Amino acid sequence: DDDKPDNVITLRMSPMVFVYLQQFWLEIIDYINEGILGDTVWGTIKSAESFLKESVESRTGFDIEVQSPLVVIPRNCSSVEKLAAVLGDICVTSHFSLRPASYFKGQVAVEDSLWYRTFEVGIKGITLRAVTDSPGDGGGSKPSLGGGGGGDGDGGAIGNGDG
């Protein structure tokens, strides 16, 4: 037996922007948990659990790269003040190793070797900044709430590049 996966799921994602509005997300979560989609989603989650279990049994590897997602967290729904977090380049890979294991099958102790999956997560280049959009500036960002960034103390802007 070698430690290479039987197959690999590869995912590459270009830079994206995620805006977090707490009330909006709470309503979505409530709709999913309690609303019309509840049974469908929970059935999907059970299917996902089944898929993950089968992916270990078949040694399905994961190779995921996400390029610099931007997460924007406004102070509130109507505020121009916000936190902007560039999460850097994110890589997630999985590796398999065969290790000795002891477990019970019914009431019988079994000594065996089992495949274990290890996830390796790497994040490079995280930046956190506080910014304010000035009314009438076309949505551009101006540094106004203080520093941030990579510890260089220069603050900076995230937006249309005019800062």
Side-chain angles (χ1 to χ4, degrees), residues 84 86 127 129-132 140-144 154-163:
V86 177
T127 304
R129 299 177 194 244
V131 294
T132 300
S141 299
K142 305 287 184 203
S144 64
D154 73 349
I158 296 177
N160 62 6
D162 64 350

Side-chain angles (χ1 to χ4, degrees), residues 75-87:
R75 183 177 296 256
N76 59 50
C77 290
S78 60
S79 177
V80 294
E81 297 176 333
K82 62 186 171 270
L83 287 177
V86 177
L87 299 184

Side-chain angles (χ1 to χ4, degrees), residues 35-56:
I36 299 170
L37 296 178
D39 291 336
T40 304
V41 169
W42 291 120
T44 303
I45 289 172
K46 290 176 185 171
S47 297
E49 289 173 359
S50 174
F51 167 76
L52 288 174
K53 181 180 179 207
E54 290 172 10
S55 74
V56 170

Side-chain angles (χ1 to χ4, degrees), residues 15-19 67-72 83-88 127 158-159:
M16 292 181 283
V17 176
F18 300 94
V19 178
Q67 296 177 356
S68 300
L70 170 63
V71 177
V72 178
L83 287 177
V86 177
L87 299 184
T127 304
I158 296 177

Side-chain angles (χ1 to χ4, degrees), residues 50-137:
S50 174
F51 167 76
L52 288 174
K53 181 180 179 207
E54 290 172 10
S55 74
V56 170
E57 292 172 357
S58 68
R59 293 190 352 216
T60 299
F62 294 92
D63 181 13
I64 301 168
E65 289 182 14
V66 181
Q67 296 177 356
S68 300
L70 170 63
V71 177
V72 178
I73 306 171
R75 183 177 296 256
N76 59 50
C77 290
S78 60
S79 177
V80 294
E81 297 176 333
K82 62 186 171 270
L83 287 177
V86 177
L87 299 184
D89 294 329
I90 302 170
C91 282
V92 178
T93 55
S94 62
H95 307 279
F96 290 89
S97 57
L98 191 60
R99 299 182 197 163
S102 301
Y103 58 93
F104 284 93
K105 197 170 199 174
Q107 296 200 355
V108 178
V110 177
E111 296 292 323
D112 199 357
S113 293
L114 295 176
W115 285 103
Y116 287 85
R117 180 197 330 245
T118 304
F119 283 97
E120 189 174 304
V121 179
I123 302 174
K124 182 173 77 171
I126 296 176
T127 304
L128 178 63
R129 299 177 194 244
V131 294
T132 300
D133 287 340
S134 301
D137 74 351

